[in-house]
Amino acid sequence: MEDLSAIFGKNVFNESRMKERLPKEAYLALQKTIRDGKHLDINIANVVASAMKDWAIENGATHFTHWFQPMTGITAEKHDSFISPIDDGNIIMDFSGKELVQGESDASSFPSGGLRATFEARGYTAWDPTSFAFIKNNVLCIPTAFCSYGGEALDKKTPLLRSMEAINRQAMRVIKLFGNEDVTSVKTTVGAEQEYFLVDRDMYDKRPDLLFTGRTLYGSMPPKGQELDDHYFGTIKSKVKMFMDELNRELWKLGVFAKTEHNEVAPAQHELAPVFTTTNIAADHNQLTMELMQRIAKKHGMVCLLHEKPFEGVNGSGKHNNWSICTNTGKNLLDPGATPHENAQFLLFLCSVIKAVDDYQDMLRVSVTSAGNDHRLGANEAPPAIISIFLGEELTEILEAIENDEGYDTKEKTVMRVGVHVLPKFPKDTTDRNRTSPFAFTGNKFEFRALGSSASISGPNVVLNTTVAESLKQFADELENADDFDATLHNLIQRTIKEHKRIIFGGNGYDDNWIAEAEKRGLLNLRTTPDCLPCYISEKNIRLFTEHKVFNEAEMRARYEIHLDNYAKTINIEALTMIDMAKRDILPKVSAFVKKLSDTVISKTTAIGGIDCTYEESVIKELNGLLNKAFGKTEELENCLKSVKKSSECAHEVAEYYKDIVIPEMEELRNLVDNMEILTDSDYWPYPTYADLLFGVR
Ligand code: ADP
Ligand code: MG
């Protein structure tokens, strides 16, 4: 058996490698930069770059790249080789501190939402020393942030790093109020569970919809779906197992702590969960995980689908963002602890999250929105588009007792005072935890379950970090001025529970009653992407992000534009693909089948005379009707797309048009085609079916 500890982090320039390869002075300076965000002296940067390069070359690297995460949601890299020519016609392998710290990149091909004026195409990438450099495909990858010439964020990493600073600033104020002299910094931590589908590569290649859009735009349900629940946690097929083994090994080499793997609810659906780590590293690691899943699946004759809803009528894929707050001394601030003191601190941090989620439901919702995720949230599947928090029965009862100055335990008559009494023990992770909740407390962390499977986890964590920073800021403002700390703390917690308890919901989130109840409580129900995007530019949210220096107003407006544009483009590509598939494959094939049936009727009648052609005649009639309707719909859809171009300059109106006009047309066309599929001879049907795709990996 191979030594796994020798593999782990093999391709990462991590702390032990730094220690091993850097002179002591450089090592200490770099540690300081990583820990406190201190600027790294260029001489030290040169030393670090040189050591990194030597290590990378020894491990097979020939090139380096600034690895960054533009607003496309995936990663980007531009490779430069280490080779530098020298005077005598030879070469040396070179990599300077300047090349490590900053890069210049043509920003014009990445979405900027108007931040990058066309005459200024340059963008900068800047090293993020808190995320280790690594080797991937013989390229030394330097994790970087990506900004415009004017310093505005053009990527997903910059705001995440800023939001980590924001929550650190505010949490430290609160931490100090509770003593904790040894704590010097606070970071949020994330474990992102990733769901995905695996389908056979040959079948995938035959489906233009999967190729162009990542999801099936047509397809009727197979006789067997997920109703038997026999896939969930079932035995993993050997081909899939081999894929998972290789994926794990490659992830371990990159220092990603892939830990659990299992089948999911839907056939062909699987999940990978890593061990949690610091949020910005977790975001980098999740990107790497998605990239490797796709690459390694291909090697095994499969394709990994990361789309939120690859198959209609089958569970979609999400990501569960497990989130907590941790001090540099290793204390999880969402862990209740054992003493009244620890309990009080825990309750305050818990309240900071409850308040943040209630005050900024809209931002949390918008942080997970996309055309793909619209098929899950607020559609027929979980979690709902309404943001609410599940705390579990015990904790909910404790909060109620504090709110109403009642004893929690009926046997014990004392009324619980925060900071004085010990919280009763409650189970860390009750097995019946509510799976329908979009945001659940699971004992020592919150699990945000509304994320889509294909998206970067950066956005939702920017929102979590910043909104909780805002709660903590308000708490610190009040507590820092308190004469009687314990009394003020108790009142603050009590008041926060009173003001924000509407966001707490322990019932079934899929139930229609919840929609009515949530409306009564005044909670938002933003069902689609065009519905929720305007909150990016609401006054309240702009104020929040600018005050905490996470976004400036221009950056928020840019993101709003990018998301609207992305939504419209996605639907447009889907509609065009549907039209293309219908016109070039489906309609001609169905027509040919109708002709074949008609020929059969003629030959049957002429050959034998008067013979019963019930089957042929009824299918001809039905299929021919559907065929002509589908043709009509295709034309209508085409016209819809033509008129959108002329329709409006306003990006939000365009997005609304796609939602209200184009999507319903697409659904109608799909419906007609799916009905034709059921009636058509499988030899004539141009594509692999749902059954082939869902049960095709053996
Ligand atoms: P399980 O769901 O198998 O019981 P856990 O609930 O412990 O396992 O963990 C689920 C995910 O939550 C894992 O990715 C794990 O690393 C992550 N996680 C656990 N603790 C924390 C934490 N303090 N902060 C962030 N993520 C965490
Ligand atoms: Mg989970």
Side-chain angles (χ1 to χ4, degrees):
M1 173 82 182
E2 199 173 4
D3 181 9
L4 286 186
S5 61
I7 297 182
F8 192 81
K10 184 174 169 286
N11 292 345
V12 186
F13 196 72
N14 57 20
E15 220 170 292
S16 54
R17 223 125 281 147
M18 291 173 190
K19 205 168 196 166
E20 204 175 281
R21 296 195 166 244
L22 292 173
K24 193 161 181 213
E25 186 203 3
Y27 172 76
L28 292 175
L30 182 55
Q31 286 305 309
K32 211 168 161 48
T33 301
I34 293 172
R35 216 178 35 241
D36 313 328
K38 290 272 171 321
H39 186 74
L40 195 67
D41 180 80
I42 187 67
N43 295 320
I44 306 276
N46 280 329
V47 175
V48 175
S50 167
M52 253 188 206
K53 176 204 68 186
D54 290 344
W55 166 78
I57 291 171
E58 278 167 37
N59 286 280
T62 51
H63 290 67
F64 70 93
T65 183
H66 275 198
W67 184 73
F68 59 104
Q69 302 170 25
M71 292 299 297
T72 51
I74 50 173
T75 56
E77 39 195 81
K78 181 182 132 233
H79 301 167
D80 281 303
S81 90
F82 289 122
I83 294 173
S84 275
I86 45 174
D87 286 345
D88 61 2
N90 284 318
I91 53 146
I92 52 161
M93 300 299 256
D94 194 28
F95 182 49
S96 70
K98 194 161 160 281
E99 285 170 308
L100 166 67
V101 173
Q102 199 178 72
E104 205 168 299
S105 186
D106 181 4
S108 58
S109 43
F110 297 107
S112 82
L115 282 179
R116 176 191 43 75
T118 34
F119 61 85
E120 186 44 89
R122 269 184 305 166
Y124 287 102
T125 47
W127 180 34
D128 166 19
T130 62
S131 184
F132 300 134
F134 55 89
I135 301 172
K136 179 170 66 77
N137 296 339
N138 296 338
V139 178
L140 171 67
C141 299
I142 320 283
T144 53
F146 179 44
C147 294
S148 76
Y149 189 65
E152 272 127 354
L154 292 175
D155 69 344
K156 306 247 171 197
K157 188 189 265 280
T158 307
L160 185 58
L161 292 172
R162 292 178 187 158
S163 74
M164 300 283 285
E165 284 171 27
I167 194 164
N168 177 50
R169 269 194 300 274
Q170 304 305 332
M172 280 307 294
R173 291 175 64 196
V174 171
I175 284 284
K176 288 291 168 228
L177 289 167
F178 282 87
N180 301 305
E181 292 306 327
D182 51 341
V183 177
T184 54
S185 69
V186 167
K187 285 187 171 139
T188 57
T189 51
V190 163
E193 301 166 63
Q194 174 75 45
E195 290 181 338
Y196 60 98
F197 281 85
L198 288 175
V199 297
D200 182 84
R201 191 173 174 180
D202 292 335
M203 298 198 193
Y204 170 92
D205 285 340
K206 293 188 183 118
R207 299 262 335 193
D209 45 3
L210 285 178
L211 274 163
F212 295 136
T213 74
R215 75 179 182 102
T216 54
L217 300 167
Y218 299 113
S220 61
M221 274 303 285
K224 177 182 175 313
Q226 66 193 50
E227 51 280 275
L228 294 179
D229 274 341
D230 53 354
H231 187 69
Y232 193 45
F233 279 34
T235 332
I236 298 171
K237 290 176 189 138
S238 61
K239 197 168 177 180
V240 174
K241 182 75 185 114
M242 270 155 64
F243 155 83
M244 285 178 172
D245 285 346
E246 185 172 346
L247 176 63
N248 283 338
R249 287 172 55 87
E250 291 306 313
L251 286 172
W252 289 334
K253 284 189 203 162
L254 288 171
V256 180
F257 305 83
K259 192 164 153 57
T260 44
E261 53 187 38
H262 60 77
N263 290 350
E264 263 300 324
V265 183
Q269 194 184 29
H270 310 279
E271 183 191 282
L272 181 142
V275 175
F276 70 96
T277 179
T278 310
T279 304
N280 69 311
I281 296 172
D284 288 357
H285 282 180
N286 183 251
Q287 292 286 1
L288 283 174
T289 303
M290 292 195 287
E291 187 184 325
L292 260 62
M293 278 176 169
Q294 287 173 305
R295 177 150 40 91
I296 293 169
K298 287 214 174 97
K299 278 178 68 180
H300 292 263
M302 298 181 289
V303 174
C304 169
L305 305 179
L306 290 169
H307 194 281
E308 284 74 19
K309 193 75 175 174
F311 304 100
E312 196 167 283
V314 176
N315 259 24
S317 294
K319 256 190 263 243
H320 289 176
N321 191 82
N322 295 274
W323 180 93
S324 191
I325 323 173
C326 192
T327 66
N328 66 310
T329 54
K331 165 117 184 88
N332 178 354
L333 296 168
L334 290 176
D335 192 329
T339 64
H341 183 79
E342 285 174 318
N343 289 170
Q345 186 174 295
F346 159 73
L347 284 170
L348 190 67
F349 276 94
L350 181 77
C351 282
S352 74
V353 180
I354 294 172
K355 176 176 160 56
V357 174
D358 187 28
D359 284 341
Y360 296 98
Q361 298 159 45
D362 54 348
M363 275 315 297
L364 279 169
R365 172 65 185 88
V366 82
S367 76
V368 296
T369 207
S370 68
N373 219 13
D374 280 3
H375 296 284
R376 302 173 63 238
L377 308 180
N380 331 331
E381 95 177 53
I386 305 163
I387 302 287
S388 67
I389 302 181
F390 173 78
L391 289 181
E393 212 174 306
E394 297 82 6
L395 191 53
T396 307
E397 279 174 22
I398 292 166
L399 294 193
E400 274 166 11
I402 296 172
E403 181 197 348
N404 302 317
D405 279 330
E406 287 163 359
Y408 164 71
D409 191 342
T410 41
K411 279 168 274 162
E412 202 182 325
K413 291 282 177 268
T414 43
V415 169
M416 223 184 53
R417 293 290 301 176
V418 174
V420 179
H421 297 110
V422 179
L423 286 182
K425 278 257 170 287
F426 53 92
K428 237 199 168 65
D429 194 352
T430 32
T431 43
D432 64 338
R433 71 180 160 183
N434 190 323
R435 299 212 152 261
T436 68
S437 175
F439 202 89
F441 183 68
T442 49
N444 58 3
K445 63 187 182 292
F446 277 97
E447 185 169 358
F448 188 19
R449 304 199 180 113
L451 284 76
S453 49
S454 70
S456 158
I457 63 165
S458 166
N461 287 297
V462 167
V463 174
L464 275 171
N465 291 343
T466 313
T467 56
V468 173
E470 173 60 23
S471 301
L472 293 171
K473 172 178 174 285
Q474 292 183 25
F475 291 175
D477 286 346
E478 189 167 335
L479 291 168
E480 280 168 358
N481 294 318
D483 294 329
D484 179 343
F485 182 78
D486 278 349
T488 313
L489 176 68
H490 184 90
N491 292 340
L492 175 60
I493 287 175
Q494 204 173 42
R495 197 179 71 230
T496 307
I497 299 168
K498 272 201 180 81
E499 281 172 7
H500 298 287
K501 66 178 176 188
R502 66 171 184 167
I503 198 78
I504 298 166
F505 175 63
N508 181 359
Y510 302 171
D511 197 345
D512 279 344
N513 294 336
W514 169 229
I515 296 177
E517 161 76 16
E519 197 180 331
K520 244 191 272 159
R521 293 190 189 187
L523 301 181
L524 293 170
N525 184 5
L526 302 167
R527 295 178 59 111
T528 67
T529 298
D531 290 345
C532 60
L533 277 176
C535 68
Y536 248 112
I537 50 168
S538 77
E539 208 188 309
K540 160 186 140 247
N541 294 331
I542 290 180
R543 195 176 335 114
L544 169 79
F545 287 101
T546 50
E547 264 178 23
H548 289 276
K549 301 192 168 46
V550 173
F551 289 122
N552 63 31
E553 183 168 345
E555 288 170 333
M556 291 192 75
R557 291 190 181 278
R559 264 151 227 256
Y560 167 70
E561 295 288 333
I562 290 170
H563 284 294
L564 281 172
D565 186 50
N566 193 284
Y567 177 82
K569 279 188 180 141
T570 304
I571 312 285
N572 195 57
I573 293 170
E574 290 183 349
L576 288 173
T577 306
M578 284 187 91
I579 294 168
D580 194 60
M581 289 170 79
K583 283 192 156 174
R584 285 158 23 102
D585 292 332
I586 299 167
L587 301 179
K589 290 282 160 41
V590 173
S591 170
F593 179 53
V594 170
K595 177 175 183 302
K596 184 195 161 207
L597 288 175
S598 314
D599 291 348
T600 311
V601 172
I602 294 167
S603 56
K604 267 181 163 182
T605 358
T606 47
I608 315 167
I611 202 162
D612 184 3
C613 293
T614 316
Y615 162 67
E616 288 84 355
E617 278 165 5
S618 71
V619 174
I620 288 169
K621 201 158 164 250
E622 206 173 330
L623 262 186
N624 206 49
L626 288 166
L627 187 63
N628 290 322
K629 276 195 202 151
F631 175 65
K633 254 304 146 215
T634 313
E635 302 264 281
E636 264 180 57
L637 185 55
E638 250 183 323
N639 287 332
C640 279
L641 295 185
K642 276 185 200 135
S643 54
V644 76
K645 294 223 170 61
K646 290 175 247 139
S647 77
S648 172
E649 287 290 292
C650 164
H652 190 252
E653 274 174 36
V654 173
E656 293 257 308
Y657 180 89
Y658 276 100
K659 171 180 72 110
D660 296 329
I661 312 287
V662 178
I663 289 180
E665 292 283 336
M666 287 165 64
E667 279 167 2
E668 282 175 43
L669 175 57
R670 177 183 184 137
N671 212 1
L672 294 165
V673 169
D674 289 356
N675 281 326
M676 292 199 287
E677 184 184 342
I678 305 169
L679 295 169
T680 305
D681 177 347
S682 55
D683 286 345
Y684 278 77
W685 196 254
Y687 308 119
T689 63
Y690 264 31
D692 297 332
L693 290 165
L694 288 167
F695 301 99
V697 171
R698 270 177 264 274

